[in-house]
Amino acid sequence: FGRQGAAHMGDSPNASLLAGGYLSPTSTYLNYPYGPNMPYSTRKGVGCTESWDGTSWTEVNDLNTGRSRMGGIGSQNSALVMGGCYGDLNCSRCTEEWNGTSWTAVNTLPGQNISNVNAVPNSTVNAGLQAGGSGAPTGQGVTPDGSPDAYPPYEAVPATNAPSTDRPECTNVASFDGTNWTSAARMVRGTSAHALGGNLNNAIAAGGARDTSPSGVPACSKFTQFWDYDVWSMGPDTPRDASSI
């Protein structure tokens, strides 16, 4: 069924995995784990997962926690998704691992609750990299049952990378070793929904929604940032401002 904000894993035209996404409140697809205290949202995160074999899509086992705008890494048979939103305003640190048959909740992301999560697609579940994203716009994340998450919505960042007031873009970076997440060196500029490529040791981030703008509201960027294992550096601007790349 149609949806937006799903995570895509797999780099082969004959073997891909699609997980999560959001629907309108009028959708007839009702398989999403909303808790009794969950505030109403016009964008309901779903757990639907579909596998592509080069010819057709097959629905497989759902995520344990339905959400949209997650980061995703890995392949059709071994994948990881992290962060994302349960509803339009409720972000998470939830991480789930796919073994080719089912999803299992594993250790959560360090740092804040985030959506519009970016992860290096060519990294693997044993050597993954996540960089940037958007903090919870309401200033508060939630747990899967709808109750408030005690963790702060986003961490303080240096003044030069101060987030905009209504949608803080974060500089947080974390690596995954197959079991645990470890916080790594922050991005130079906080962005979300940027293009991200490479691997755990060398990566490039381009464009994305930027952390600050002259008007004080989110804007697209031309930023290019390079990751060299444990340090980020700025590169030349892209030709055009762009986001959701």
Side-chain angles (χ1 to χ4, degrees):
F1 64 96
R3 60 198 192 275
Q4 293 180 303
H8 172 261
M9 286 71 69
D11 57 4
S12 168
N14 297 315
S16 295
L17 191 71
L18 198 66
Y22 62 77
L23 311 170
S24 74
T26 59
S27 172
T28 57
Y29 187 87
L30 300 177
N31 192 13
Y32 49 83
Y34 261 40
N37 301 319
M38 184 69 70
Y40 177 81
S41 170
T42 58
R43 295 180 177 180
K44 299 177 179 180
V46 297
C48 181
T49 303
E50 296 178 271
S51 179
W52 172 256
D53 63 7
T55 302
S56 59
W57 290 98
T58 301
E59 187 168 355
V60 292
N61 286 320
D62 285 2
L63 289 162
N64 292 291
T65 304
R67 55 203 193 278
S68 66
R69 291 174 282 181
M70 303 172 288
I73 60 177
S75 65
Q76 184 184 52
N77 294 315
S78 179
L80 196 75
V81 293
M82 71 291 299
C85 286
Y86 307 114
D88 211 18
L89 301 176
N90 301 298
C91 304
S92 78
R93 294 178 290 129
C94 180
T95 302
E96 296 188 46
E97 185 172 349
W98 172 256
N99 64 5
T101 302
S102 59
W103 292 99
T104 301
V106 294
N107 289 323
T108 58
L109 279 167
Q112 74 270 50
N113 303 285
I114 56 174
S115 68
N116 296 311
V117 184
N118 298 89
V120 174
N122 291 336
S123 53
T124 70
V125 295
N126 294 316
L129 184 70
Q130 173 271 322
S134 300
T138 56
Q140 178 63 64
V142 294
T143 59
D145 67 359
S147 59
D149 190 323
Y151 208 90
Y154 60 90
E155 295 179 356
V157 296
T160 55
N161 288 327
S164 57
T165 57
D166 61 336
R167 184 183 167 192
E169 313 304 326
C170 69
T171 57
N172 287 38
V173 177
S175 62
F176 190 73
D177 63 6
T179 302
N180 297 308
W181 288 100
T182 301
S183 296
R186 290 182 181 274
M187 301 176 76
V188 180
R189 297 300 300 267
T191 55
S192 68
H194 46 261
L196 190 60
N199 55 46
L200 177 63
N201 296 322
N202 293 279
I204 180 173
R210 60 186 295 181
D211 50 6
T212 56
S213 66
S215 62
V217 297
C220 297
S221 78
K222 297 180 180 180
F223 300 147
T224 299
Q225 302 181 68
F226 295 105
W227 168 252
D228 185 10
Y229 189 67
D230 62 354
V231 64
W232 287 92
S233 60
M234 297 298 293
D237 285 353
T238 60
R240 294 179 179 273
D241 300 293
S243 176
S244 300
I245 303 172

